[in-house]
Amino acid sequence: MAAHRKPRRRSASGNTARTAATIALAGAATATGLDGTGHAEPQLTPGQVKAKVDELYQEAEVATEKYNGAKEKAEHARERLTALQDRAARKEERLNTARDALGSVAAAQYRAGGIDPALQLALSDDPDRYLQNAEFVERTGDRQRSAVAGVREQLREIEQLRGAAHIELTSLKSRQTELRRHKKTITGKLGSARRLLSRLTVQERAAFGDAPGTDRASRSTAVRDGLAAPGSAGSQAPNSRAAAAVSYAYQKLGSPYVWGATGPDAFDCSGLVQAAYRSAGVSLPRTTYSQIDAGRRVSRSELLPGDLVFFYAGISHVGIYVGNGRMIHAPNPSAPVRVAPLDEMPFVGATRVV
């Protein structure tokens, strides 16, 4: 007779353990590419790394120009706020003087047996109540009426200044928030670029101008290539200001690129242009997309030394033309200020500063 045995029940915990192990193995296989569909980060060739790094640098430069614009607006808002606060403070001093004078009149009237209602209102700390009850001023004499009217006008002006200052403060806070956002974008893009470049050997990075000692080599090469150019470029420039800007740019060859910098020892692209023309006594806007409108537009065939040359569809990069199809510009964190061909980037327009 066959033995009748109850089928052995599978342990719930054992089944769960085997399922978990299966999932873990499957996950490991996926992560390591054992099933042919791995999600590990692909190994990029040096050329692909350079292309991606260039893209990140360009995106960082777009954010840098937005940062520069927001910073410029924040500075203007801060200046306006300070001016409004100063004006309000001066008016408050004059108001206090006027109120002190009215207080003296009020004291004299009190000693004489009463305080005029208009003076009570003028000396009140509640401007709204004063303005709402200004009809009481009509009960005073001409001299007191004029004094009280002056206090009323000063109160109104101070309230207006305080309102304008509040608007500027709100604007300043908004710009500061914008600055933080752009700064976060810039540092993120540059950090990604650095991580990509760290995958390359020193030799591979040297080929892209991003190896230790490259800045020194670039400085020597740039200066050597441009030794005879400043004088000849200056003689071809449309005016003395353009010639002075070109001369300044040559003096800064080899200076490092630092986003947001305007010299004298480091620059971003628009910072170099602004500093060069500032040295020539010309004030230019801070950003590329404002600098392109700072003069007369010229075609590529009309370029003369000192003209501003712009690149990329978003007008996110600028250089100073120096003749012979070349410019001086601050490229990106991987390279210092240097001489480069216009064809290095997509040309979108040029402006002659007048």
Side-chain angles (χ1 to χ4, degrees):
M1 175 183 286
H4 294 282
R5 298 179 181 175
K6 291 183 179 180
R8 185 165 49 187
R9 297 178 63 185
R10 293 184 178 181
S11 166
S13 59
N15 184 55
T16 301
R18 281 192 295 274
T19 301
T22 302
I23 292 173
L25 287 172
T30 299
T32 56
L34 294 177
D35 64 348
T37 59
H39 297 291
E41 194 171 357
Q43 185 67 35
L44 301 177
T45 66
Q48 289 172 325
V49 169
K50 182 183 185 305
K52 183 61 179 174
V53 167
D54 287 345
E55 180 183 347
L56 287 166
Y57 280 153
Q58 204 273 319
E59 291 171 353
E61 194 156 54
V62 171
T64 296
E65 290 306 308
K66 291 179 180 178
Y67 173 91
N68 291 338
K71 184 178 180 182
E72 186 175 47
K73 291 176 182 176
E75 289 171 350
H76 290 165
R78 186 178 290 107
E79 290 170 359
R80 290 192 298 268
L81 175 61
T82 300
L84 287 167
Q85 290 172 334
D86 289 345
R87 286 179 60 193
R90 289 194 296 271
K91 285 186 177 295
E92 285 176 353
E93 287 179 3
R94 289 196 292 272
L95 173 63
N96 290 336
T97 300
R99 289 170 69 107
D100 288 345
L102 287 175
S104 298
V105 174
Q109 288 193 353
Y110 179 78
R111 288 192 296 270
I115 301 179
D116 189 280
L119 293 178
Q120 291 179 353
L121 292 172
L123 295 170
S124 171
D125 289 329
D126 188 348
D128 290 335
R129 180 170 175 268
Y130 174 81
L131 294 174
Q132 291 168 4
N133 295 277
E135 64 269 19
F136 284 100
V137 175
E138 299 300 325
R139 301 179 185 178
T140 65
D142 290 342
R143 184 174 180 181
Q144 290 182 8
R145 184 183 302 115
S146 175
V148 172
V151 169
R152 179 177 60 184
E153 180 60 26
Q154 290 179 63
L155 284 168
R156 182 182 292 109
E157 290 175 354
I158 289 171
E159 288 305 307
Q160 289 174 343
L161 287 171
R162 286 173 176 168
H166 177 73
I167 292 172
E168 290 300 338
L169 180 60
T170 301
S171 173
L172 177 59
K173 290 180 178 178
S174 175
R175 299 304 178 192
Q176 289 172 334
T177 299
E178 190 178 356
L179 281 172
R180 289 191 291 271
R181 184 173 69 253
H182 292 316
K183 182 176 182 179
K184 183 178 180 180
T185 299
I186 294 164
T187 54
K189 299 290 184 184
L190 296 182
S192 297
R194 282 192 296 270
R195 287 191 292 273
L196 280 170
L197 287 169
S198 68
R199 300 183 187 181
L200 304 180
T201 65
V202 172
Q203 291 76 15
E204 288 169 337
R205 291 174 62 190
F208 303 149
D210 195 69
T214 300
D215 285 355
R216 193 179 306 111
S218 297
R219 181 193 297 267
S220 300
T221 300
V223 172
R224 185 180 66 248
D225 289 347
L227 274 178
S232 59
S235 63
Q236 300 168 25
N239 54 59
S240 60
R241 296 182 299 277
V246 170
S247 177
Y248 180 94
Y250 270 103
Q251 293 170 26
K252 298 302 177 179
L253 289 173
S255 299
Y257 178 103
V258 175
W259 67 268
T262 59
D265 301 316
F267 306 87
D268 62 20
C269 68
S270 56
L272 174 64
V273 166
Q274 187 185 49
Y277 268 93
R278 184 170 58 237
S279 75
V282 179
S283 177
L284 289 182
R286 179 63 182 93
T287 63
T288 53
Y289 44 82
S290 295
Q291 289 174 352
I292 196 170
D293 294 322
R296 179 173 65 85
R297 297 289 183 92
V298 293
S299 67
R300 183 164 178 167
S301 62
E302 298 174 303
L303 286 174
L304 292 174
D307 290 345
L308 309 185
V309 284
F310 298 88
F311 303 88
Y312 298 106
I315 315 175
S316 59
H317 192 77
V318 63
I320 299 176
Y321 186 67
V322 294
N324 300 319
R326 301 187 303 170
M327 65 175 170
I328 292 177
H329 72 141
N332 54 56
S334 73
V337 174
R338 64 185 181 186
V339 178
L342 293 184
D343 293 333
E344 188 171 78
M345 292 170 288
F347 177 87
V348 294
T351 292
R352 180 163 301 153
V353 179
V354 293

